[in-house]
Amino acid sequence: MPPLAELGVLALNTGENGTSGAVIDTSEGFVYFSLTTTPGKIVRIVTSTLSRDSVISFSTGEPNDDTQGPNVVIDTSTAFAYFFAATNPGQIKKVNLSTFAVGASVVGDSFFTNITTMQAELSLNYLYCGAYTPPKIYRFTTSLVQSATLDLT
């Protein structure tokens, strides 16, 4: 196997202070980065050229999760991605990757701000989110309806 080698660099724009998560759609040739900004932003990058395609912004005051881990999940079969916004309480934003626009969103309970991880069971149309204080597991349908909460205390 060849050694790791840097093949290119794309600088973020002024005010885009870093990334907090990413997902890739290899069939469409895009990678989506969640930027640590307020309001939150998602930037779409063309993988073949490492060039910026476009960016979308959340509403004013809705930051992306910049401290608690990469909370983003992609479903390439339906062309949707789900991004966590660290509002108070937190939100999940459903992004239509075909139109690159935020569609539905869901607001969690008062502890939903403490989300540290998000995963999907796409064959059953479920998203799972884990919180650390208090320790809880949330389950949503991919249509963003909360279907269960498991309190781990």
Side-chain angles (χ1 to χ4, degrees):
M1 178 166 32
L4 293 176
E6 181 180 294
L7 300 176
V9 175
L10 176 66
L12 295 174
N13 291 342
T14 301
E16 296 174 346
N17 302 323
T19 64
S20 62
V23 289
I24 192 165
D25 183 346
T26 55
S27 64
E28 295 297 322
F30 293 111
V31 61
Y32 300 86
F33 283 92
S34 176
L35 302 180
T36 57
T37 57
T38 300
K41 292 181 181 180
I42 301 164
V43 65
R44 180 167 59 184
I45 305 297
V46 180
T47 57
S48 61
T49 60
L50 191 60
S51 60
R52 186 184 190 107
D53 178 75
S54 53
V55 65
I56 55 176
S57 295
F58 295 164
S59 298
T60 301
E62 295 180 343
N64 274 359
D65 179 22
D66 61 348
T67 60
Q68 298 172 22
N71 296 321
V72 58
V73 176
I74 191 169
D75 181 354
T76 55
S77 67
T78 62
F80 285 103
Y82 304 86
F83 290 83
F84 177 70
T87 54
N88 189 7
Q91 298 181 49
I92 298 173
K93 303 284 191 175
K94 185 176 183 177
V95 175
N96 182 324
L97 301 178
S98 298
T99 62
F100 199 46
V102 176
S105 64
V106 65
V107 178
D109 65 23
S110 62
F111 298 108
F112 200 66
T113 303
N114 300 322
I115 296 301
T116 57
T117 190
M118 188 164 60
Q119 284 296 320
E121 187 175 15
L122 298 172
S123 64
L124 297 176
N125 295 315
Y126 287 137
L127 295 173
Y128 294 91
C129 301
Y132 70 90
T133 306
K136 289 185 176 185
I137 306 293
Y138 297 86
R139 181 174 67 190
F140 294 88
T141 65
T142 53
S143 59
L144 296 184
V145 176
Q146 188 168 351
S147 61
T149 302
L150 175 62
D151 191 335
L152 300 174
T153 55

